[in-house]
Amino acid sequence: MFEIERYTPAHKEAWDQFVHQSKNSTFLFLRDYMDYHSDRFADHSLMAWHKGRLYAVLPANLDGDTLCSHQGLTYGGWLMGRHATVEGMCTIFKQMVDFAHQSGIRQMTYKAIPWIYHTYPAEEDLYALYHICAARITSRHVSSAIDLCSRMAFTESRKSGLRKATARNLKIEEGGQERLEDFWKILEGNLFQRHHVAPVHTFDEMRLLMSRFPDHIRLFVVTDNGSVLGGTLLYLSDRVVHTQYISASEEGKAGGALDLLFNELMSYDWGTATYFDFGRSTIGDGSELNNSLLFQKEGFGARAICYDIYTMKL
Protein backbone atom coordinates (compact mmCIF):
# COMPACT_ATOMS: atom_id res chain seq x y z
CA MET A 1 0.00 0.00 0.00
CA PHE A 2 0.97 3.62 -0.48
CA GLU A 3 0.54 6.65 1.72
CA ILE A 4 -0.71 9.74 -0.11
CA GLU A 5 -0.38 13.18 1.43
CA ARG A 6 -0.47 16.79 0.32
CA TYR A 7 2.73 18.65 -0.38
CA THR A 8 3.74 21.34 2.11
CA PRO A 9 6.80 23.65 2.04
CA ALA A 10 8.40 21.36 4.62
CA HIS A 11 8.66 18.75 1.84
CA LYS A 12 10.52 21.03 -0.60
CA GLU A 13 13.89 19.30 -0.35
CA ALA A 14 12.41 15.80 -0.70
CA TRP A 15 10.21 16.95 -3.59
CA ASP A 16 13.08 18.54 -5.52
CA GLN A 17 15.38 15.57 -4.96
CA PHE A 18 12.71 13.27 -6.35
CA VAL A 19 12.12 15.50 -9.39
CA HIS A 20 15.83 15.30 -10.23
CA GLN A 21 15.66 11.50 -10.12
CA SER A 22 12.31 10.77 -11.77
CA LYS A 23 12.02 9.37 -15.28
CA ASN A 24 9.48 11.82 -16.69
CA SER A 25 10.21 15.19 -15.09
CA THR A 26 11.79 18.47 -16.17
CA PHE A 27 12.99 21.50 -14.23
CA LEU A 28 9.46 22.96 -14.48
CA PHE A 29 8.48 20.70 -11.56
CA LEU A 30 11.11 22.03 -9.17
CA ARG A 31 9.40 24.07 -6.48
CA ASP A 32 11.37 27.24 -7.28
CA TYR A 33 9.74 27.16 -10.71
CA MET A 34 6.27 25.94 -9.73
CA ASP A 35 5.89 28.37 -6.85
CA TYR A 36 6.78 31.59 -8.68
CA HIS A 37 3.04 32.07 -9.29
CA SER A 38 1.78 30.48 -6.09
CA ASP A 39 -0.46 33.50 -5.51
CA ARG A 40 -2.54 32.51 -8.57
CA PHE A 41 -3.12 28.84 -7.79
CA ALA A 42 -4.25 26.96 -4.69
CA ASP A 43 -1.52 24.33 -4.61
CA HIS A 44 -2.79 20.82 -3.95
CA SER A 45 0.21 18.76 -5.06
CA LEU A 46 0.32 15.16 -3.86
CA MET A 47 3.11 12.85 -2.76
CA ALA A 48 2.88 9.05 -2.79
CA TRP A 49 5.13 7.25 -0.31
CA HIS A 50 5.95 3.54 -0.24
CA LYS A 51 7.75 2.07 2.75
CA GLY A 52 8.98 5.50 3.78
CA ARG A 53 10.34 6.45 0.34
CA LEU A 54 8.84 8.68 -2.33
CA TYR A 55 7.40 6.65 -5.19
CA ALA A 56 5.65 9.39 -7.21
CA VAL A 57 4.60 13.04 -6.94
CA LEU A 58 1.77 14.94 -8.63
CA PRO A 59 2.08 18.70 -9.34
CA ALA A 60 -1.50 19.91 -8.89
CA ASN A 61 -3.80 22.68 -7.75
CA LEU A 62 -7.40 22.83 -6.62
CA ASP A 63 -10.05 24.71 -8.61
CA GLY A 64 -13.38 24.45 -6.81
CA ASP A 65 -14.08 20.73 -6.43
CA THR A 66 -11.68 19.83 -9.27
CA LEU A 67 -8.15 18.58 -8.78
CA CYS A 68 -6.11 19.86 -11.73
CA SER A 69 -2.74 18.87 -13.08
CA HIS A 70 -1.08 22.15 -12.25
CA GLN A 71 -2.78 24.85 -14.32
CA GLY A 72 0.35 26.98 -14.32
CA LEU A 73 2.23 24.32 -16.29
CA THR A 74 1.78 23.09 -19.86
CA TYR A 75 1.93 19.44 -18.82
CA GLY A 76 2.41 17.45 -15.65
CA GLY A 77 0.84 14.24 -14.42
CA TRP A 78 2.35 11.89 -11.85
CA LEU A 79 6.16 12.07 -11.85
CA MET A 80 7.55 8.59 -11.33
CA GLY A 81 10.82 7.02 -10.33
CA ARG A 82 12.42 4.42 -12.59
CA HIS A 83 11.16 1.60 -10.38
CA ALA A 84 7.49 2.61 -10.73
CA THR A 85 5.39 -0.21 -12.17
CA VAL A 86 1.98 -0.48 -13.78
CA GLU A 87 0.62 -2.28 -10.72
CA GLY A 88 2.08 0.35 -8.43
CA MET A 89 0.59 3.25 -10.37
CA CYS A 90 -2.80 1.54 -10.57
CA THR A 91 -2.75 1.26 -6.79
CA ILE A 92 -1.78 4.92 -6.44
CA PHE A 93 -4.68 5.98 -8.67
CA LYS A 94 -7.10 3.92 -6.55
CA GLN A 95 -5.80 5.55 -3.39
CA MET A 96 -5.84 8.97 -5.03
CA VAL A 97 -9.57 8.52 -5.70
CA ASP A 98 -10.15 7.62 -2.04
CA PHE A 99 -8.03 10.58 -0.92
CA ALA A 100 -10.03 12.91 -3.19
CA HIS A 101 -13.36 11.67 -1.84
CA GLN A 102 -12.23 12.39 1.71
CA SER A 103 -11.23 15.92 0.64
CA GLY A 104 -14.51 16.71 -1.13
CA ILE A 105 -12.91 16.57 -4.59
CA ARG A 106 -15.30 15.32 -7.26
CA GLN A 107 -13.34 15.36 -10.52
CA MET A 108 -9.88 15.74 -11.98
CA THR A 109 -8.21 17.09 -15.09
CA TYR A 110 -4.93 15.37 -15.90
CA LYS A 111 -2.28 16.69 -18.29
CA ALA A 112 -0.14 13.78 -19.42
CA ILE A 113 3.55 14.48 -19.98
CA PRO A 114 4.42 13.99 -23.70
CA TRP A 115 6.68 10.99 -24.22
CA ILE A 116 9.52 12.98 -25.75
CA TYR A 117 10.18 14.45 -22.28
CA HIS A 118 10.65 11.01 -20.71
CA THR A 119 14.19 9.90 -19.94
CA TYR A 120 12.93 6.31 -19.60
CA PRO A 121 9.59 4.72 -20.65
CA ALA A 122 6.97 6.25 -18.35
CA GLU A 123 3.39 5.68 -19.44
CA GLU A 124 2.24 3.64 -16.46
CA ASP A 125 -0.08 6.53 -15.59
CA LEU A 126 -1.83 6.36 -18.98
CA TYR A 127 -2.88 2.78 -18.37
CA ALA A 128 -4.03 3.59 -14.83
CA LEU A 129 -6.12 6.49 -16.18
CA TYR A 130 -7.96 4.07 -18.44
CA HIS A 131 -8.05 1.00 -16.21
CA ILE A 132 -8.81 2.58 -12.83
CA CYS A 133 -10.48 5.92 -13.56
CA ALA A 134 -12.16 5.38 -16.94
CA ALA A 135 -10.72 8.76 -17.89
CA ARG A 136 -11.39 10.23 -21.31
CA ILE A 137 -9.43 12.66 -23.43
CA THR A 138 -11.26 16.00 -23.40
CA SER A 139 -8.55 18.14 -25.01
CA ARG A 140 -5.83 17.29 -27.47
CA HIS A 141 -3.28 19.91 -28.45
CA VAL A 142 -0.79 19.40 -31.24
CA SER A 143 2.82 20.47 -30.90
CA SER A 144 5.56 20.21 -33.52
CA ALA A 145 8.90 18.58 -32.79
CA ILE A 146 12.09 17.70 -34.62
CA ASP A 147 14.22 14.63 -34.05
CA LEU A 148 17.64 16.26 -33.95
CA CYS A 149 19.30 12.98 -34.86
CA SER A 150 17.27 12.66 -38.06
CA ARG A 151 16.34 16.13 -39.26
CA MET A 152 14.19 16.79 -42.29
CA ALA A 153 15.21 19.47 -44.78
CA PHE A 154 13.70 22.95 -44.61
CA THR A 155 10.94 23.68 -47.10
CA GLU A 156 11.69 26.15 -49.90
CA SER A 157 9.94 29.01 -48.06
CA ARG A 158 12.23 28.53 -45.05
CA LYS A 159 15.29 28.17 -47.30
CA SER A 160 14.34 31.44 -48.99
CA GLY A 161 14.26 33.22 -45.63
CA LEU A 162 17.62 31.68 -44.72
CA ARG A 163 19.16 33.05 -47.92
CA LYS A 164 17.81 36.54 -47.18
CA ALA A 165 19.21 36.52 -43.65
CA THR A 166 22.58 35.24 -44.86
CA ALA A 167 22.76 37.92 -47.55
CA ARG A 168 22.08 40.63 -44.93
CA ASN A 169 24.78 39.17 -42.70
CA LEU A 170 22.46 38.99 -39.69
CA LYS A 171 24.08 37.78 -36.48
CA ILE A 172 22.98 35.32 -33.81
CA GLU A 173 23.94 35.71 -30.18
CA GLU A 174 22.95 34.29 -26.84
CA GLY A 175 21.24 37.23 -25.23
CA GLY A 176 20.81 36.49 -21.54
CA GLN A 177 18.96 38.94 -19.34
CA GLU A 178 20.64 41.95 -20.95
CA ARG A 179 18.71 41.27 -24.19
CA LEU A 180 15.47 40.11 -22.58
CA GLU A 181 13.83 43.54 -22.57
CA ASP A 182 14.51 44.06 -26.31
CA PHE A 183 13.06 40.65 -27.12
CA TRP A 184 10.09 41.10 -24.76
CA LYS A 185 9.02 44.33 -26.45
CA ILE A 186 8.83 42.51 -29.81
CA LEU A 187 6.99 39.56 -28.23
CA GLU A 188 4.43 41.71 -26.42
CA GLY A 189 3.80 43.82 -29.51
CA ASN A 190 3.18 40.81 -31.73
CA LEU A 191 0.89 39.04 -29.27
CA PHE A 192 -1.21 42.12 -28.69
CA GLN A 193 -1.44 43.00 -32.37
CA ARG A 194 -2.41 39.50 -33.49
CA HIS A 195 -4.40 38.09 -30.58
CA HIS A 196 -4.92 40.94 -28.08
CA VAL A 197 -3.21 38.88 -25.38
CA ALA A 198 -0.06 39.19 -23.28
CA PRO A 199 2.67 36.57 -22.77
CA VAL A 200 1.82 33.92 -20.17
CA HIS A 201 4.69 35.26 -18.05
CA THR A 202 5.21 38.89 -17.19
CA PHE A 203 8.59 40.44 -17.94
CA ASP A 204 9.49 40.50 -14.24
CA GLU A 205 8.45 36.86 -13.80
CA MET A 206 10.61 35.75 -16.70
CA ARG A 207 13.57 37.76 -15.46
CA LEU A 208 13.16 36.07 -12.06
CA LEU A 209 12.95 32.60 -13.60
CA MET A 210 16.01 33.21 -15.78
CA SER A 211 17.96 34.19 -12.68
CA ARG A 212 16.84 31.03 -10.89
CA PHE A 213 17.46 28.66 -13.80
CA PRO A 214 20.26 30.11 -15.96
CA ASP A 215 21.23 26.68 -17.33
CA HIS A 216 17.67 25.77 -18.26
CA ILE A 217 16.22 29.05 -19.59
CA ARG A 218 18.29 30.64 -22.36
CA LEU A 219 17.57 33.45 -24.80
CA PHE A 220 18.95 33.57 -28.35
CA VAL A 221 18.45 36.62 -30.54
CA VAL A 222 19.10 37.71 -34.13
CA THR A 223 20.66 41.14 -34.53
CA ASP A 224 21.44 43.59 -37.29
CA ASN A 225 24.12 46.11 -36.36
CA GLY A 226 23.34 45.45 -32.71
CA SER A 227 19.56 45.85 -32.98
CA VAL A 228 17.41 42.86 -32.02
CA LEU A 229 15.18 41.69 -34.89
CA GLY A 230 13.81 38.59 -33.20
CA GLY A 231 14.65 35.59 -31.10
CA THR A 232 13.51 32.63 -29.08
CA LEU A 233 13.45 31.86 -25.37
CA LEU A 234 14.39 28.22 -24.86
CA TYR A 235 13.55 25.85 -22.01
CA LEU A 236 16.17 23.10 -21.84
CA SER A 237 15.49 19.70 -20.30
CA ASP A 238 17.36 16.38 -20.45
CA ARG A 239 15.69 15.22 -23.65
CA VAL A 240 14.09 18.31 -25.20
CA VAL A 241 14.92 21.84 -26.31
CA HIS A 242 11.57 23.65 -26.09
CA THR A 243 10.79 27.05 -27.62
CA GLN A 244 8.83 28.73 -24.85
CA TYR A 245 8.55 31.96 -26.88
CA ILE A 246 9.37 32.86 -30.49
CA SER A 247 8.96 36.32 -32.00
CA ALA A 248 10.37 38.65 -34.64
CA SER A 249 9.81 42.25 -35.65
CA GLU A 250 8.34 43.06 -39.06
CA GLU A 251 11.85 43.76 -40.29
CA GLY A 252 13.03 40.47 -38.84
CA LYS A 253 10.21 38.52 -40.50
CA ALA A 254 10.92 40.11 -43.87
CA GLY A 255 14.62 39.42 -43.51
CA GLY A 256 14.38 35.73 -42.57
CA ALA A 257 15.70 36.24 -39.04
CA LEU A 258 13.96 33.21 -37.54
CA ASP A 259 14.95 30.96 -40.44
CA LEU A 260 18.59 31.80 -39.79
CA LEU A 261 18.14 31.39 -36.05
CA PHE A 262 16.58 27.93 -36.11
CA ASN A 263 18.91 26.67 -38.80
CA GLU A 264 21.77 27.40 -36.44
CA LEU A 265 20.11 26.28 -33.20
CA MET A 266 19.27 22.88 -34.66
CA SER A 267 22.96 22.34 -35.30
CA TYR A 268 24.01 23.12 -31.71
CA ASP A 269 25.30 20.43 -29.39
CA TRP A 270 22.52 20.29 -26.80
CA GLY A 271 24.08 17.46 -24.80
CA THR A 272 21.55 14.73 -24.05
CA ALA A 273 18.64 16.55 -25.72
CA THR A 274 17.50 14.79 -28.89
CA TYR A 275 14.25 16.65 -29.67
CA PHE A 276 13.49 20.26 -30.55
CA ASP A 277 9.90 21.04 -29.55
CA PHE A 278 8.31 24.15 -31.07
CA GLY A 279 5.27 23.95 -28.79
CA ARG A 280 1.55 23.94 -29.44
CA SER A 281 -0.21 25.35 -32.50
CA THR A 282 -3.75 24.89 -31.23
CA ILE A 283 -6.28 27.24 -29.69
CA GLY A 284 -8.77 26.74 -26.84
CA ASP A 285 -9.31 23.05 -26.12
CA GLY A 286 -7.20 22.07 -29.12
CA SER A 287 -10.04 21.81 -31.63
CA GLU A 288 -8.85 24.87 -33.59
CA LEU A 289 -5.53 24.93 -35.45
CA ASN A 290 -3.37 28.01 -35.90
CA ASN A 291 -2.54 27.04 -39.46
CA SER A 292 -0.08 29.83 -40.19
CA LEU A 293 1.94 28.98 -37.07
CA LEU A 294 1.82 25.29 -37.90
CA PHE A 295 2.94 26.01 -41.48
CA GLN A 296 6.03 27.80 -40.17
CA LYS A 297 7.00 25.02 -37.76
CA GLU A 298 6.43 22.23 -40.28
CA GLY A 299 8.54 24.23 -42.73
CA PHE A 300 11.49 23.62 -40.39
CA GLY A 301 10.82 19.87 -40.58
CA ALA A 302 8.86 19.54 -37.33
CA ARG A 303 6.08 16.96 -37.03
CA ALA A 304 3.25 16.30 -34.61
CA ILE A 305 3.41 15.45 -30.92
CA CYS A 306 0.14 15.43 -28.96
CA TYR A 307 -0.38 17.08 -25.60
CA ASP A 308 -3.42 15.32 -24.13
CA ILE A 309 -5.68 16.37 -21.25
CA TYR A 310 -7.88 13.78 -19.55
CA THR A 311 -10.97 14.31 -17.43
CA MET A 312 -12.29 11.84 -14.86
CA LYS A 313 -14.93 11.70 -12.16
CA LEU A 314 -13.56 10.85 -8.73
Side-chain angles (χ1 to χ4, degrees), residues 251-270:
E251 182 182 358
K253 295 171 190 173
L258 295 181
D259 301 306
L260 178 71
L261 177 62
F262 288 117
N263 183 65
E264 181 157 332
L265 291 180
M266 290 172 201
S267 300
Y268 270 40
D269 179 3
W270 296 110

Side-chain angles (χ1 to χ4, degrees), residues 20-69:
H20 284 302
Q21 298 167 4
S22 71
K23 62 181 181 176
N24 61 335
S25 66
T26 69
F27 77 96
L28 300 181
F29 304 115
L30 295 171
R31 298 309 307 198
D32 282 341
Y33 189 96
M34 286 182 59
D35 293 341
Y36 84 88
H37 47 20
S38 58
D39 57 317
R40 288 186 240 162
F41 303 98
D43 190 273
H44 207 90
S45 299
L46 302 180
M47 308 174 75
W49 300 84
H50 181 62
K51 296 181 179 179
R53 299 183 63 181
L54 266 180
Y55 190 90
V57 300
L58 177 68
N61 67 278
L62 202 59
D63 185 4
D65 65 353
T66 301
L67 182 65
C68 305
S69 280

